Amino acid sequence: MFVMTTDQRQSRRDVDRVPEAVAALSAIPTIRSFDRTAGDEFQAVFDSPGALTDAIVILAELGPWSIGIGIGDVERPLPTQTRAGRGAAFERARIAVTDAKRAPHPVAVVGADPETASSAQTAARLLVLLVGERSEAGRAAVREMRRERTQSEAAATLGVTPQAMSQRLRAANWYLEEDTRMLVTRLLADAR
């Protein structure tokens, strides 16, 4: 199992962004849904590394989050509320979110095998870097491409030329995102 514990960065100088993040993540399939644990933290339980990767991307797009991923067993049956869960994955997620708060690319992965967890963490940090550093124009271009449009259709929707759309997608590293997502997903699965 995977447990994601997420903490809002610089929350003392910002508004509460937990409701916005939880709403943005609501379509992601989880075993136990995103649930506020305390203050500006929330947590969810996953069994799918692909869904976990999707959640990482959404949080990276939103910006001010430290993401901790714990991999391991959970006590069964899982309680109805995520925050009441127990087990190694929950404990590791707590360690991971603390580690993520100190990292320049704020995601950390802790699992039973430190080597595979470290590989998954490196890939997840690359994904956060790739997605998090996009300009607003790049984010808009990527949003249109995710709607499964052609590049020409996306350009027309944004009111830019196909050449400008191509430049935006290149600057946003759109062409690397899918490969990086697949790498993160595979490495998370290996670390399970």
Side-chain angles (χ1 to χ4, degrees):
M1 276 304 163
F2 303 97
V3 174
M4 173 187 274
T5 299
T6 308
D7 186 29
Q8 184 178 337
R9 291 182 309 194
Q10 302 174 347
S11 60
R12 291 185 179 143
R13 291 177 260 148
D14 199 358
V15 299
D16 180 7
R17 297 191 183 277
V18 172
E20 170 193 3
V22 170
L25 293 161
S26 64
I28 302 288
T30 60
I31 297 299
R32 288 295 179 267
S33 62
F34 293 94
D35 186 21
R36 187 185 293 257
T37 54
D40 54 3
E41 284 188 3
F42 60 94
Q43 217 172 32
V45 180
F46 298 80
D47 67 349
S48 165
L52 183 56
T53 301
D54 291 343
I56 292 168
V57 169
I58 290 169
L59 289 167
E61 289 173 337
L62 291 175
W65 298 102
S66 295
I67 305 164
I69 299 166
I71 304 170
D73 294 329
V74 296
E75 287 185 12
R76 302 250 187 194
L78 278 168
T80 306
Q81 290 188 315
T82 305
R83 66 177 170 255
R86 298 174 52 163
F90 285 93
E91 294 163 12
R92 291 174 182 148
R94 166 63 37 217
I95 294 165
V97 77
T98 300
D99 291 348
K101 290 176 188 180
R102 295 184 225 122
H105 305 294
V107 62
V109 179
V110 177
D113 178 10
E115 188 173 323
T116 58
S118 177
S119 295
Q121 174 177 282
T122 299
R125 286 180 174 171
L126 288 171
L127 185 58
V128 166
L129 173 66
L130 183 96
V131 172
E133 292 196 346
R134 289 181 173 148
S135 67
E136 188 48 49
R139 288 177 190 199
V142 167
R143 270 193 304 273
E144 291 304 317
M145 293 303 293
R146 285 189 185 144
R147 292 185 176 137
E148 298 186 16
R149 297 181 178 190
T150 67
Q151 201 166 310
S152 295
E153 291 170 338
T157 300
L158 294 175
V160 299
T161 66
Q163 294 81 4
M165 185 67 173
S166 181
Q167 289 170 345
R168 287 181 183 190
L169 291 171
R170 194 170 23 262
N173 288 309
W174 163 249
Y175 305 105
L176 289 173
E177 182 178 324
E178 187 58 33
D179 291 342
T180 308
R181 279 177 180 251
M182 288 188 300
L183 178 63
V184 171
T185 300
R186 183 175 56 79
L187 292 171
L188 286 169
D190 290 350
R192 192 179 342 204

